[in-house]
Amino acid sequence: MEGTLNMLGMGIAGLGAAIAIGMIFAAYINGVARQPEAQRVLQPIAILGFALAEAVFVLAIVFAFVL
């Protein structure tokens, strides 16, 4: 049962990361659609948000297999 709960936690973390990435890029697309000249400013912020959301999921994978 212990391993099953670890994998359940990893699945929930994966779902959270997917939702976060979707919200990040939805906000990016919305911002660029409203102000196309702000693309240069918004793109690095969106990529940084994507990387941080993926890092949280990678940590969840590590913790699921370690614990």
Side-chain angles (χ1 to χ4, degrees):
M1 188 70 181
E2 186 176 318
T4 305
L5 292 177
N6 286 347
M7 296 302 140
L8 180 66
M10 186 179 75
I12 292 171
L15 182 65
I19 291 171
I21 290 169
M23 290 177 69
I24 288 166
F25 283 110
Y28 169 69
I29 291 170
N30 192 12
V32 171
R34 288 175 183 250
Q35 290 185 329
E37 66 273 3
Q39 181 182 4
R40 291 186 187 145
V41 175
L42 295 176
Q43 189 172 12
I45 296 170
I47 292 172
L48 178 64
F50 169 76
L52 290 175
E54 283 296 317
V56 169
F57 179 65
V58 169
L59 282 174
I61 290 174
V62 169
F63 289 145
F65 287 117
V66 170
L67 297 178

